[in-house]
Amino acid sequence: MTNDERFLTLIQTSFKYVYDNSIAEDNKKKTTAKVMRLKDLEKYLRQNMLNEFEKMLTTYDSLQKFFKVNSNHKYGDKDSESVWKCEVTTVNNYNYLKRPKSLRFPSLKLYIKYIEPLFIIYPQRVYDGHITLTDQINKSLDEHLIPKSQYAIFNNVRNRVNDMVKNVFSDVGATAELIGSAKKGLAINSSGIFMVIRIPSNKLKEVNEMMASKNWSTSPYNLEYLAMHLINIGMENIELIMKANRCKFDDPITGRECRISLNTGLVYERDDLILEYFKLDKRVKSLAAAVVHFTGRHHLHKSDDFRFPSTTCYILMVIHFLMCGLKYPVIVSLQNLPIKCRAPHCRFNRKDVHSITKFNHEIKEYYVKYHNCVIVRNLTTGEFNNTLGSRVSSKLTVWNRRNNSNLGLLLIKFFNFYSFRNRFTSISIIENNGKLFNLDKGDYSKAPIFVQDPFITHRNLTSTCKNRNREIIIEHFIYARDALTDGASFKDICESLIKKDVEASA
């Protein structure tokens, strides 16, 4: 929005007066906000520009309304002239929303009542910092994430392994399926190809009986038997990880490291649920990708140290935050929808929503029940904000959202949300309040981090995490929050601590 040309002199005079007479502490930085009580600015303008001031009032009624419309102004000398923003706010908002501890919004020199209106000016990049940050995040993700067009390489490996699995284990109807980043669309150039062998529920008990008998040698549980057939289809560098019941190998065609294991613990089904959340709002996947990228760059993943959370756990932390960590949630729980389901063919209403899996050496039945009929409508614009938008009909369930925060602001709020220890001890996406579902306090009170499995509800997906690892994560999140608030770029926070850690260990 351009400024009202009739009152440019009034705007210029206001900015110069506030800049030269700011009541905020001066830290000698050019990007520091300048502050003035609104009534003092008004008094100055009445004394020095009475005619222009009265003309302005005939159009805008008040100085506050005037600056709400005329909020941009180029200010500075000819060499450093930049666009500044202005805003009228209360002392209370300045103290808490503008973070006076930040170098860009310093403390006030005077004691002023909390309800007192203030006039603030600051460089546009400070005002629009989270918007710029959004662009930085999207650019970084574009550079690091593999484009959809290249996902054929993952499917190619999966198809070859699947053909072998279907042939070798045809008697139990087994298939090989992608899981992890390759399935969620979060793969980077260095990502491996993770797969699971899925066995239909009606055959799993049969396979388990084979294991208990002398005929287990040709079952999917026999890693040596599986490895032999992986070699037969050309896979190389086979490594058996008995404790995890997993085969690790290299695909010579793509040069990718691969892993395959049995689908114990409903890993495949959990990924399906996460993908359903990605469909609700594009910010879910983007924020998850940003958090996974940041934590990966700082070696905070389970693949770096088994005492850290996995990438899936970080994604569940993001979903939990977007569901219950904001005044207005971005998404809603798909396992406990607070509105009536209007889709007769929704997965939640099906009778076959249970799944039998082997977990902790036991065969058990779990309900894999969630809604896949939800479409999100933006209450501000009336637009639908997910991939189901082209299928809007009475057969879908519409959930209205109020949150329109951009990605940059959400990332800062995510880091702030998880800057406190108590936020790590109860992370769940089963209910909209984010509380652990159907668990006694004794089941989780001693865990430094408790990320509840959405299906196997007594399971903590971060059971190997220790207090020290949680503290390291919090330390990184606090650093990222403060750095981003003070104007650092997304690239800065992803790289600076790595250099610091290297220097510290040298």
Side-chain angles (χ1 to χ4, degrees), residues 279 375-376 383-393 396:
K279 293 177 184 178
I375 183 167
V376 179
E383 297 175 350
F384 292 90
N385 294 280
N386 66 359
T387 56
L388 300 179
S390 60
R391 293 166 45 197
V392 178
S393 72
L396 293 177

Side-chain angles (χ1 to χ4, degrees), residues 199-206 208 221 263-266 269 353-368 455-459:
I199 300 171
S201 296
N202 61 341
K203 292 287 186 178
L204 194 58
K205 290 183 178 180
E206 180 182 326
N208 201 51
Y221 285 96
N263 186 41
T264 55
L266 302 176
E269 289 78 5
V353 291
H354 64 277
S355 182
I356 298 175
T357 190
K358 186 174 184 179
F359 177 66
N360 280 350
H361 309 291
E362 292 183 297
I363 298 291
K364 286 188 176 181
E365 181 177 273
Y366 297 95
Y367 279 96
V368 183
F455 302 127
I456 307 175
T457 56
H458 60 275
R459 181 188 185 191

Side-chain angles (χ1 to χ4, degrees), residues 130-144 286-287 289-291 293 406-412 415 484 489-491 493:
H130 49 273
I131 298 176
T132 304
L133 177 58
T134 297
D135 295 336
Q136 294 169 2
I137 296 170
N138 289 328
K139 181 180 178 181
S140 180
L141 296 181
D142 287 342
E143 291 173 352
H144 291 93
S286 296
L287 183 60
V291 171
H293 180 64
N406 59 59
L407 182 58
L409 184 58
L410 288 176
L411 181 62
I412 294 174
F415 286 135
L484 291 175
S489 69
F490 183 64
K491 184 178 181 181
I493 67 163

Side-chain angles (χ1 to χ4, degrees), residues 366-408:
Y366 297 95
Y367 279 96
V368 183
K369 198 171 184 178
Y370 57 87
H371 294 269
N372 62 347
C373 66
V374 180
I375 183 167
V376 179
R377 179 168 56 197
N378 184 333
L379 279 180
T380 303
T381 64
E383 297 175 350
F384 292 90
N385 294 280
N386 66 359
T387 56
L388 300 179
S390 60
R391 293 166 45 197
V392 178
S393 72
S394 59
K395 294 183 179 180
L396 293 177
T397 304
V398 177
W399 181 72
N400 295 312
R401 70 160 174 81
R402 299 177 182 272
N403 191 303
N404 294 312
S405 298
N406 59 59
L407 182 58

Side-chain angles (χ1 to χ4, degrees), residues 99-117:
R99 299 186 70 249
K101 293 181 181 179
S102 164
L103 294 177
R104 301 185 186 280
F105 297 98
S107 300
L108 301 179
K109 298 176 185 178
L110 309 175
Y111 171 76
I112 307 174
K113 292 181 180 180
Y114 283 154
I115 59 173
E116 181 83 29

